[in-house]
Amino acid sequence: MTTTTAPLPSPLVLVVEDEPSIASILTAYLERDGLRARQTGDGPTALQLFHQLRPDLVLLDIHLPGVDGLDILRAIRDDGQTPVIMVTALADDVDKLLGLRLGADDYVVKPFSPPEVVARVRAVLRRAVPRPADKEQPPIRVGRIEIDHRAHEALCREPDGRTVPLPLTLTEFRLLACLAAQPRRCFSRSHLIEHCLPESDALDRVIDSHLSKLRRKLQQAGQGELIETVRGIGYRFLPGDAAVP
Ligand code: CA
């Protein structure tokens, strides 16, 4: 087989799952789809492998013996934006997770079909890689916010002129970039799902959860209420009082 470009290593997925049969099936399906996979059912080993291997995505079971998968998610989030898909046996866990706002990128409820999980993994990986069109876009400046697609980074300009990066997840970055690109335009939840979480079967409440976290981070950065809920429709970006040139 010939290729026209130098082959990049396939994305690496860290499978954290304590049921060996499930872990093996997932690993087999991921590898059959051309991904690389490593598996562990042990919390401390999971974190060790995470730091050592720097996987492109973590598939993380919530219920692990002796350790809470949510603590592993917290540790991964403290480290950065590595995409995480949470796996749970209980649909109720999804509500709990959304309530905790820990920033998982997607959720899978057992029992699941392995091909479906692989499709979710592929969808989240696609979102995580900046698309060429994104890189070509010039930075957006709205009020004190600057969105740099090249760097995949949102910055806040302080009154003294310093810029401070906003600690956003990839999904939050995409949502902010989408909303701020057209201030005052109202975006429906379905539009935001389609453009910011493509090929995910995310629910409206998932968008609400991401938006809620994004708003909180903007508030914590002293930016006030930049995103308005439009009842029954969706969201819009209002530079408002923050629109200081
Ligand atoms: Ca388990």
Side-chain angles (χ1 to χ4, degrees), residues 91-129:
D92 287 353
D93 278 344
V94 176
D95 288 322
K96 185 179 156 197
L97 273 165
L98 291 171
L100 287 170
R101 298 171 180 172
L102 291 174
D105 295 83
D106 206 348
Y107 310 89
V108 174
V109 181
K110 293 175 184 174
F112 49 71
S113 79
E116 181 207 335
V117 177
V118 174
R120 298 278 192 99
V121 166
R122 283 289 188 187
V124 170
L125 284 172
R126 266 194 295 278
R127 297 207 305 264
V129 176

Short mmCIF file of all heavy atoms in Angstrom, two decimals, residues 91-129:
data_model
loop_
_atom_site.label_atom_id
_atom_site.label_comp_id
_atom_site.label_asym_id
_atom_site.label_seq_id
_atom_site.Cartn_x
_atom_site.Cartn_y
_atom_site.Cartn_z
N ALA A 91 -27.78 4.99 33.97
CA ALA A 91 -28.18 6.21 33.28
C ALA A 91 -28.20 7.39 34.26
O ALA A 91 -27.92 8.52 33.88
CB ALA A 91 -29.55 6.03 32.63
N ASP A 92 -28.51 7.09 35.55
CA ASP A 92 -28.56 8.16 36.55
C ASP A 92 -27.21 8.86 36.69
O ASP A 92 -27.13 10.02 37.06
CB ASP A 92 -28.94 7.60 37.92
CG ASP A 92 -30.42 7.24 37.96
OD1 ASP A 92 -31.12 7.56 36.98
OD2 ASP A 92 -30.85 6.65 38.96
N ASP A 93 -26.14 8.10 36.44
CA ASP A 93 -24.80 8.68 36.56
C ASP A 93 -24.61 9.86 35.61
O ASP A 93 -23.86 10.78 35.90
CB ASP A 93 -23.73 7.63 36.24
CG ASP A 93 -23.44 6.75 37.44
OD1 ASP A 93 -23.83 7.12 38.55
OD2 ASP A 93 -22.82 5.69 37.24
N VAL A 94 -25.27 9.79 34.45
CA VAL A 94 -25.09 10.87 33.48
C VAL A 94 -25.60 12.18 34.07
O VAL A 94 -24.95 13.22 33.96
CB VAL A 94 -25.79 10.53 32.14
CG1 VAL A 94 -25.69 11.70 31.17
CG2 VAL A 94 -25.16 9.29 31.52
N ASP A 95 -26.77 12.10 34.75
CA ASP A 95 -27.29 13.32 35.40
C ASP A 95 -26.33 13.81 36.47
O ASP A 95 -26.08 15.00 36.60
CB ASP A 95 -28.66 13.04 36.02
CG ASP A 95 -29.73 12.89 34.96
OD1 ASP A 95 -29.66 13.62 33.96
OD2 ASP A 95 -30.61 12.03 35.12
N LYS A 96 -25.80 12.85 37.23
CA LYS A 96 -24.86 13.21 38.30
C LYS A 96 -23.62 13.89 37.70
O LYS A 96 -23.17 14.92 38.18
CB LYS A 96 -24.47 11.93 39.05
CG LYS A 96 -23.60 12.15 40.26
CD LYS A 96 -23.29 10.79 40.92
CE LYS A 96 -22.02 10.88 41.74
NZ LYS A 96 -21.47 9.55 42.05
N LEU A 97 -23.13 13.28 36.62
CA LEU A 97 -21.94 13.82 35.95
C LEU A 97 -22.18 15.22 35.43
O LEU A 97 -21.36 16.12 35.60
CB LEU A 97 -21.58 12.93 34.76
CG LEU A 97 -20.69 11.74 35.05
CD1 LEU A 97 -20.73 10.79 33.88
CD2 LEU A 97 -19.28 12.23 35.28
N LEU A 98 -23.34 15.38 34.78
CA LEU A 98 -23.66 16.70 34.22
C LEU A 98 -23.77 17.71 35.35
O LEU A 98 -23.34 18.84 35.23
CB LEU A 98 -24.95 16.64 33.41
CG LEU A 98 -24.85 15.85 32.10
CD1 LEU A 98 -26.22 15.68 31.48
CD2 LEU A 98 -23.92 16.55 31.12
N GLY A 99 -24.35 17.26 36.49
CA GLY A 99 -24.51 18.14 37.63
C GLY A 99 -23.17 18.56 38.20
O GLY A 99 -22.99 19.70 38.62
N LEU A 100 -22.21 17.65 38.17
CA LEU A 100 -20.90 17.95 38.74
C LEU A 100 -20.05 18.83 37.82
O LEU A 100 -19.08 19.44 38.25
CB LEU A 100 -20.13 16.65 39.03
CG LEU A 100 -20.64 15.87 40.23
CD1 LEU A 100 -19.98 14.50 40.28
CD2 LEU A 100 -20.36 16.62 41.53
N ARG A 101 -20.42 18.85 36.55
CA ARG A 101 -19.74 19.73 35.59
C ARG A 101 -18.23 19.52 35.58
O ARG A 101 -17.46 20.47 35.69
CB ARG A 101 -20.05 21.19 35.89
CG ARG A 101 -21.51 21.50 35.76
CD ARG A 101 -21.84 22.87 36.25
NE ARG A 101 -23.27 23.11 36.10
CZ ARG A 101 -23.88 24.17 36.60
NH1 ARG A 101 -23.21 25.08 37.24
NH2 ARG A 101 -25.17 24.33 36.42
N LEU A 102 -17.85 18.27 35.48
CA LEU A 102 -16.42 17.98 35.51
C LEU A 102 -15.79 18.06 34.13
O LEU A 102 -14.57 17.97 34.01
CB LEU A 102 -16.19 16.58 36.10
CG LEU A 102 -16.49 16.47 37.58
CD1 LEU A 102 -16.37 15.03 38.04
CD2 LEU A 102 -15.56 17.35 38.39
N GLY A 103 -16.61 18.17 33.10
CA GLY A 103 -16.02 18.40 31.79
C GLY A 103 -15.68 17.16 31.00
O GLY A 103 -14.71 17.15 30.25
N ALA A 104 -16.47 16.07 31.16
CA ALA A 104 -16.31 14.95 30.25
C ALA A 104 -16.82 15.37 28.87
O ALA A 104 -17.69 16.24 28.76
CB ALA A 104 -17.09 13.74 30.74
N ASP A 105 -16.26 14.78 27.83
CA ASP A 105 -16.62 15.18 26.48
C ASP A 105 -17.84 14.43 25.95
O ASP A 105 -18.52 14.90 25.05
CB ASP A 105 -15.45 14.98 25.53
CG ASP A 105 -14.30 15.91 25.89
OD1 ASP A 105 -13.52 15.57 26.79
OD2 ASP A 105 -14.23 17.02 25.31
N ASP A 106 -18.07 13.24 26.49
CA ASP A 106 -19.24 12.47 26.07
C ASP A 106 -19.49 11.39 27.12
O ASP A 106 -18.66 11.19 28.02
CB ASP A 106 -19.01 11.84 24.68
CG ASP A 106 -20.33 11.60 23.94
OD1 ASP A 106 -21.41 11.70 24.57
OD2 ASP A 106 -20.28 11.30 22.74
N TYR A 107 -20.62 10.70 26.99
CA TYR A 107 -21.01 9.68 27.95
C TYR A 107 -21.53 8.47 27.21
O TYR A 107 -22.23 8.61 26.22
CB TYR A 107 -22.12 10.22 28.87
CG TYR A 107 -21.79 11.56 29.45
CD1 TYR A 107 -22.12 12.73 28.78
CD2 TYR A 107 -21.09 11.66 30.65
CE1 TYR A 107 -21.78 13.97 29.28
CE2 TYR A 107 -20.75 12.89 31.16
CZ TYR A 107 -21.09 14.04 30.47
OH TYR A 107 -20.75 15.27 30.97
N VAL A 108 -21.19 7.29 27.71
CA VAL A 108 -21.70 6.05 27.13
C VAL A 108 -22.30 5.23 28.26
O VAL A 108 -21.68 5.08 29.31
CB VAL A 108 -20.56 5.25 26.46
CG1 VAL A 108 -21.07 3.90 26.00
CG2 VAL A 108 -19.96 6.02 25.29
N VAL A 109 -23.52 4.75 28.07
CA VAL A 109 -24.19 3.97 29.11
C VAL A 109 -24.19 2.50 28.71
O VAL A 109 -24.55 2.15 27.58
CB VAL A 109 -25.63 4.48 29.34
CG1 VAL A 109 -26.31 3.67 30.44
CG2 VAL A 109 -25.62 5.96 29.73
N LYS A 110 -23.75 1.65 29.66
CA LYS A 110 -23.79 0.20 29.44
C LYS A 110 -25.23 -0.30 29.56
O LYS A 110 -25.97 0.24 30.38
CB LYS A 110 -22.95 -0.51 30.50
CG LYS A 110 -21.45 -0.26 30.41
CD LYS A 110 -20.78 -0.93 31.61
CE LYS A 110 -19.29 -0.63 31.64
NZ LYS A 110 -18.64 -1.14 32.86
N PRO A 111 -25.66 -1.33 28.85
CA PRO A 111 -24.85 -2.04 27.86
C PRO A 111 -24.76 -1.24 26.57
O PRO A 111 -25.72 -0.60 26.18
CB PRO A 111 -25.63 -3.34 27.65
CG PRO A 111 -27.05 -2.97 27.93
CD PRO A 111 -27.01 -1.89 28.98
N PHE A 112 -23.61 -1.26 25.95
CA PHE A 112 -23.44 -0.51 24.71
C PHE A 112 -22.98 -1.46 23.61
O PHE A 112 -22.54 -2.58 23.89
CB PHE A 112 -22.43 0.61 24.88
CG PHE A 112 -21.14 0.15 25.53
CD1 PHE A 112 -20.25 -0.65 24.85
CD2 PHE A 112 -20.82 0.55 26.82
CE1 PHE A 112 -19.07 -1.06 25.44
CE2 PHE A 112 -19.64 0.15 27.42
CZ PHE A 112 -18.76 -0.66 26.72
N SER A 113 -23.12 -1.01 22.38
CA SER A 113 -22.56 -1.82 21.30
C SER A 113 -21.16 -1.27 21.04
O SER A 113 -20.98 -0.05 20.93
CB SER A 113 -23.43 -1.72 20.05
OG SER A 113 -23.18 -0.53 19.37
N PRO A 114 -20.14 -2.15 20.98
CA PRO A 114 -18.78 -1.66 20.76
C PRO A 114 -18.64 -0.75 19.53
O PRO A 114 -17.95 0.27 19.61
CB PRO A 114 -17.97 -2.95 20.63
CG PRO A 114 -18.74 -3.95 21.44
CD PRO A 114 -20.17 -3.60 21.22
N PRO A 115 -19.30 -1.07 18.38
CA PRO A 115 -19.16 -0.15 17.24
C PRO A 115 -19.66 1.26 17.57
O PRO A 115 -19.11 2.25 17.08
CB PRO A 115 -20.02 -0.80 16.15
CG PRO A 115 -20.07 -2.25 16.52
CD PRO A 115 -20.07 -2.28 18.02
N GLU A 116 -20.69 1.34 18.42
CA GLU A 116 -21.21 2.66 18.80
C GLU A 116 -20.16 3.42 19.60
O GLU A 116 -19.95 4.62 19.42
CB GLU A 116 -22.49 2.48 19.63
CG GLU A 116 -23.11 3.80 20.05
CD GLU A 116 -23.92 3.68 21.35
OE1 GLU A 116 -24.39 2.57 21.65
OE2 GLU A 116 -24.05 4.69 22.05
N VAL A 117 -19.48 2.70 20.50
CA VAL A 117 -18.44 3.35 21.31
C VAL A 117 -17.31 3.84 20.40
O VAL A 117 -16.82 4.96 20.55
CB VAL A 117 -17.91 2.40 22.39
CG1 VAL A 117 -16.78 3.06 23.18
CG2 VAL A 117 -19.03 1.98 23.33
N VAL A 118 -16.93 3.01 19.43
CA VAL A 118 -15.87 3.41 18.51
C VAL A 118 -16.29 4.66 17.74
O VAL A 118 -15.50 5.59 17.55
CB VAL A 118 -15.50 2.26 17.54
CG1 VAL A 118 -14.52 2.73 16.48
CG2 VAL A 118 -14.91 1.08 18.32
N ALA A 119 -17.57 4.70 17.32
CA ALA A 119 -18.07 5.88 16.60
C ALA A 119 -17.99 7.12 17.48
O ALA A 119 -17.61 8.21 17.02
CB ALA A 119 -19.50 5.64 16.12
N ARG A 120 -18.34 6.97 18.76
CA ARG A 120 -18.25 8.11 19.69
C ARG A 120 -16.81 8.57 19.84
O ARG A 120 -16.51 9.76 19.89
CB ARG A 120 -18.78 7.71 21.06
CG ARG A 120 -20.22 7.32 21.08
CD ARG A 120 -21.12 8.54 21.14
NE ARG A 120 -22.47 8.13 21.45
CZ ARG A 120 -23.00 8.20 22.66
NH1 ARG A 120 -22.33 8.69 23.66
NH2 ARG A 120 -24.24 7.80 22.86
N VAL A 121 -15.91 7.59 19.97
CA VAL A 121 -14.49 7.91 20.12
C VAL A 121 -14.01 8.69 18.90
O VAL A 121 -13.36 9.74 19.02
CB VAL A 121 -13.65 6.61 20.30
CG1 VAL A 121 -12.16 6.89 20.12
CG2 VAL A 121 -13.92 6.00 21.67
N ARG A 122 -14.36 8.20 17.72
CA ARG A 122 -13.96 8.88 16.48
C ARG A 122 -14.53 10.30 16.43
O ARG A 122 -13.84 11.24 16.02
CB ARG A 122 -14.45 8.08 15.26
CG ARG A 122 -13.62 6.85 14.97
CD ARG A 122 -12.26 7.24 14.42
NE ARG A 122 -11.48 6.12 13.95
CZ ARG A 122 -10.20 6.23 13.56
NH1 ARG A 122 -9.59 7.40 13.61
NH2 ARG A 122 -9.53 5.19 13.16
N ALA A 123 -15.79 10.46 16.83
CA ALA A 123 -16.42 11.78 16.79
C ALA A 123 -15.71 12.74 17.74
O ALA A 123 -15.42 13.89 17.38
CB ALA A 123 -17.90 11.68 17.15
N VAL A 124 -15.40 12.29 18.94
CA VAL A 124 -14.73 13.17 19.91
C VAL A 124 -13.31 13.49 19.44
O VAL A 124 -12.85 14.62 19.55
CB VAL A 124 -14.73 12.53 21.32
CG1 VAL A 124 -13.84 13.32 22.27
CG2 VAL A 124 -16.16 12.48 21.87
N LEU A 125 -12.63 12.50 18.85
CA LEU A 125 -11.28 12.76 18.34
C LEU A 125 -11.32 13.79 17.20
O LEU A 125 -10.46 14.65 17.11
CB LEU A 125 -10.64 11.47 17.83
CG LEU A 125 -10.13 10.50 18.91
CD1 LEU A 125 -9.70 9.18 18.28
CD2 LEU A 125 -8.96 11.12 19.68
N ARG A 126 -12.32 13.69 16.36
CA ARG A 126 -12.45 14.67 15.26
C ARG A 126 -12.60 16.08 15.80
O ARG A 126 -12.02 17.02 15.29
CB ARG A 126 -13.65 14.33 14.37
CG ARG A 126 -13.30 13.48 13.16
CD ARG A 126 -14.45 13.47 12.17
NE ARG A 126 -15.62 12.82 12.71
CZ ARG A 126 -15.78 11.49 12.72
NH1 ARG A 126 -14.86 10.71 12.21
NH2 ARG A 126 -16.88 10.96 13.21
N ARG A 127 -13.40 16.20 16.85
CA ARG A 127 -13.59 17.54 17.45
C ARG A 127 -12.30 18.04 18.06
O ARG A 127 -12.04 19.24 18.09
CB ARG A 127 -14.61 17.48 18.60
CG ARG A 127 -15.98 17.10 18.22
CD ARG A 127 -16.99 17.70 19.18
NE ARG A 127 -16.79 17.40 20.59
CZ ARG A 127 -17.41 16.43 21.24
NH1 ARG A 127 -18.22 15.62 20.60
NH2 ARG A 127 -17.23 16.27 22.52
N ALA A 128 -11.52 17.12 18.61
CA ALA A 128 -10.33 17.53 19.36
C ALA A 128 -9.23 18.03 18.43
O ALA A 128 -8.37 18.79 18.85
CB ALA A 128 -9.81 16.35 20.18
N VAL A 129 -9.25 17.61 17.18
CA VAL A 129 -8.22 18.05 16.25
C VAL A 129 -8.71 19.31 15.55
O VAL A 129 -9.76 19.29 14.95
CB VAL A 129 -7.95 16.94 15.20
CG1 VAL A 129 -6.95 17.42 14.17
CG2 VAL A 129 -7.47 15.68 15.89
#
